[in-house]
Amino acid sequence: MTKRVAIMAYAALAYLLAMINLAYIVGFLADFGVPKGINDGPGCPVWLALIIDAGLVALFGLQHSTTARRRFKAWWTGYVPPSIERATYLYMTAGMTIILVTLWRPIPVTIWRVDQPILAGVIVTCYLAVWLLMYASTFHFGHLSFFGFQQALDRFRQRPEGSTAFTARYLYALVRHPISLGWMLVPWLTPHMTVGQLTFAFSTMAYVLIATRFEESDLIGEIGERYLEYRKQVPAFIPGLAAREESADNSLPGSL
């Protein structure tokens, strides 16, 4: 009983950290309401800041992609119980966010600035709306499972871990990767774009486009023909491009 309570506490703290982490990233990219935003911090030569910042996004993405792969999970759960595997991943993500925010070097050279209050308000509203849609997307396949709490709850109740059925509804009926699409969109939705933010935007886009191919390879391995059929019908990011994607990309690389 004590062990099950400890697992619940571990997962509950991971969930809380995930919510704090998410809220901080929202503020960090908006450069508002957090101790250090994307345009804050010690400066350095532009060329060095570009290397550091792009490297930090790549490091963040590498941690996310590596730990999400089937081979890594198969190895990882040999040491970490499945009931806290996802929660442990969230602790790792929180740690990577701390590294990203702490080491990020601002490049406060303005690309554009929207000073008209109504237009700026529309941009900020769109920014928050995309984050809300990304958050809502987690309920499609189990919000508590996505954030590592359901696994601990099943362990506490001594129930077998439930599996999430594959369905293509809501946002997933429009695009295959709504959360990844959101990550590509949010850095651009700002009334004040700087070179630092542009670096984050392009680095994130590059990571998502590369990582998605490996993610889809895993999904095909797990779901099989049903996912291949889904892939023919629903585009990855832009509605209406599914058939073109399928004809242009007949194979996927293997998992990392």
Side-chain angles (χ1 to χ4, degrees), residues 26 53 92 113 121 125 130 193 203 222 230:
V26 173
D53 294 346
M92 295 166 64
R113 180 190 293 273
T125 299
V130 172
M193 174 67 80
S203 299
E222 292 174 10
Y230 171 63

Side-chain angles (χ1 to χ4, degrees), residues 12-238:
L13 180 57
Y15 182 89
L16 177 61
L17 284 176
M19 296 300 103
I20 295 172
N21 186 58
L22 181 60
Y24 197 102
I25 292 175
V26 173
F28 176 76
L29 292 180
D31 204 21
F32 177 79
V34 293
K36 182 184 179 184
I38 197 167
N39 293 313
D40 297 328
C44 65
V46 172
W47 65 269
L48 181 57
L50 288 170
I51 293 174
I52 292 173
D53 294 346
L56 287 169
V57 174
L59 183 63
F60 187 95
L62 184 63
Q63 178 267 325
H64 174 82
S65 289
T66 301
T67 54
R69 299 283 67 80
R70 284 188 301 160
R71 291 182 182 177
F72 180 87
K73 287 183 178 180
W75 171 81
W76 181 237
T77 50
Y79 300 92
V80 177
S83 56
I84 61 169
E85 181 268 329
R86 184 70 182 179
T88 303
Y89 163 81
L90 295 175
Y91 282 106
M92 295 166 64
T93 300
M96 288 305 304
T97 299
I98 292 172
I99 292 173
L100 173 70
V101 170
T102 302
L103 299 183
W104 184 268
R105 292 296 175 261
I107 312 176
V109 178
T110 297
I111 303 296
W112 72 67
R113 180 190 293 273
V114 177
D115 293 320
Q116 210 284 332
I118 294 178
L119 183 54
V122 170
I123 294 173
V124 172
T125 299
C126 290
Y127 173 80
L128 295 175
V130 172
W131 277 112
L132 182 60
L133 288 173
M134 292 166 67
Y135 184 78
S137 295
T138 65
F139 288 89
H140 172 78
F141 39 76
H143 174 78
L144 293 180
S145 293
F146 185 83
F147 287 104
F149 191 76
Q150 186 64 53
Q151 296 87 331
L153 186 60
D154 290 340
R155 176 69 176 83
F156 182 79
R157 294 174 174 174
Q158 296 184 310
R159 295 178 179 175
E161 183 177 338
S163 59
T164 302
F166 173 73
T167 58
R169 297 180 298 169
Y170 311 121
L171 291 175
Y172 287 86
L174 299 175
V175 292
R176 300 197 301 272
H177 305 284
I179 295 177
S180 295
L181 175 60
W183 272 109
M184 289 195 289
L185 288 177
V186 289
W188 299 93
L189 296 172
T190 174
H192 181 207
M193 174 67 80
T194 65
V195 173
Q197 288 167 294
L198 196 65
T199 301
F200 188 96
F202 277 119
S203 299
T204 302
M205 183 178 297
Y207 158 70
V208 167
L209 293 176
I210 293 171
T212 297
R213 297 176 65 85
F214 292 98
E215 180 182 351
E216 295 227 318
S217 178
D218 272 3
L219 290 169
I220 291 171
E222 292 174 10
I223 302 171
E225 188 62 33
R226 290 185 63 197
Y227 192 83
L228 288 172
E229 188 62 28
Y230 171 63
R231 194 166 168 262
K232 292 177 183 178
Q233 298 172 357
V234 179
F237 304 114
I238 305 175

Side-chain angles (χ1 to χ4, degrees), residues 176 231-235 240-249:
R176 300 197 301 272
R231 194 166 168 262
K232 292 177 183 178
Q233 298 172 357
V234 179
L241 295 185
R244 187 179 304 175
E245 286 178 357
E246 184 66 19
S247 61
D249 183 19

